[in-house]
Amino acid sequence: MSEQATAAGKTFVIKHPLIQHKLTIMRKKDTSTGKFRRLAGEIAMLLAYEVTRDMPMTLAEIETPLAKMQAPVLKGKELVLVSILRAGNGILDGMLRLIPSAHIGHIGLYREPKTQVAVEYYFKMPPNMPERDTIIVDPMLATGHSAVAAISRVKEQNPRSIKYVCLLAAPEGVQFVHEHHPDVPIYTAAIDQGLNEKAYIIPGLGDAGDRMFGTL
Ligand code: URA
């Protein structure tokens, strides 16, 4: 993992060889929908491992077949995975394989084509958010508009903490998120060159939602 800390915020690039290899296969234009979806899930699972490293722990008394002991368990209410629709759902399942008891929130946002501004059409979070840590997921951090809008909305619920996870980021998006939400760390598998005129990440992997759901 390499950490890029700017004055504005922190980004963790998870350079595990398995993640990098899987991401390269996802990038290839000839990778099929099924394979793309499976790889997105596998990378998401590996990112979930990294992003949960510092989850708060406590001790609970348990009984093994031989003795009582104080054993480490996760502290507090289950965390919340917040999926930015629709592509976020493509990495949600992979993260849930590692954190099966997580609660799920959804935010529906679309990019207004002319301005690239994020417009909200759906928002639903679990109860008791002030007692929960949250991880917002969306495979592509491009302009950062959706990410900033999603983080702002989740912050209205006062969760205990917020982290942001994506498969791939553009430097513009990373900077935009850090400028608006310096307290929210970003976890990603790679940061690419930049955005093209249509706000796609270059070299990127194309439209993640379309490739995941076969809607090209
Ligand atoms: N969303 C995508 O799916 N791909 C990009 O390159 C940028 C935004």
Side-chain angles (χ1 to χ4, degrees):
M1 171 160 60
S2 88
E3 180 184 333
Q4 300 186 4
T6 65
K10 272 187 189 169
T11 294
F12 298 93
V13 182
I14 317 294
K15 295 198 166 153
H16 192 290
L18 286 175
I19 293 182
Q20 296 305 317
H21 183 80
K22 288 172 195 291
L23 182 61
T24 296
I25 302 172
M26 288 184 76
R27 289 180 186 275
K28 290 184 183 176
K29 63 180 183 183
D30 295 330
T31 297
S32 68
T33 296
K35 199 166 181 185
F36 187 93
R37 194 161 43 218
R38 179 172 58 75
L39 290 163
E42 289 171 4
I43 296 178
M45 198 162 59
L46 294 163
L47 291 175
Y49 180 79
E50 290 295 341
V51 75
T52 52
R53 254 180 200 286
D54 59 353
M55 276 175 82
M57 307 284 302
T58 187
L59 292 174
E61 182 166 299
I62 62 158
E63 232 177 311
T64 76
L66 299 174
K68 284 188 178 172
M69 71 173 285
Q70 295 284 321
V73 289
L74 295 171
K75 184 179 177 183
K77 285 205 178 294
E78 289 86 358
L79 65 76
V80 180
L81 297 175
V82 178
S83 168
I84 302 181
L85 298 173
R86 80 185 154 145
N89 281 3
I91 56 172
L92 188 60
D93 286 347
M95 298 193 82
L96 279 171
R97 260 183 270 158
L98 214 60
I99 323 165
S101 59
H103 290 219
I104 318 273
H106 289 98
I107 303 184
L109 294 170
Y110 69 87
R111 283 200 288 183
E112 214 284 310
K114 279 198 188 121
T115 60
Q116 304 298 337
V117 168
V119 182
E120 181 181 310
Y121 63 88
Y122 187 76
F123 185 81
K124 184 95 179 170
M125 293 297 131
N128 308 116
M129 288 290 281
E131 295 166 62
R132 299 183 191 279
D133 296 305
T134 57
I135 301 172
I136 302 177
V137 303
D138 192 359
M140 308 295 274
L141 176 56
T143 63
H145 284 112
S146 303
V148 165
I151 294 167
S152 298
R153 283 292 273 131
V154 171
K155 276 188 176 174
E156 289 172 15
Q157 307 269 313
N158 291 314
R160 200 160 60 170
S161 69
I162 303 178
K163 291 175 178 171
Y164 191 90
V165 172
C166 57
L167 300 182
L168 203 52
E172 296 91 326
V174 169
Q175 195 182 340
F176 197 64
V177 170
H178 286 332
E179 274 168 18
H180 287 80
H181 298 293
D183 53 321
V184 175
I186 297 169
Y187 292 75
T188 184
I191 301 177
D192 275 8
Q193 271 160 35
L195 300 175
N196 71 7
E197 66 292 348
K198 289 187 174 159
Y200 278 91
I201 297 175
I202 301 298
L205 47 72
D207 189 304
D210 279 345
R211 293 197 65 188
M212 252 166 212
F213 301 121
T215 49
L216 277 172

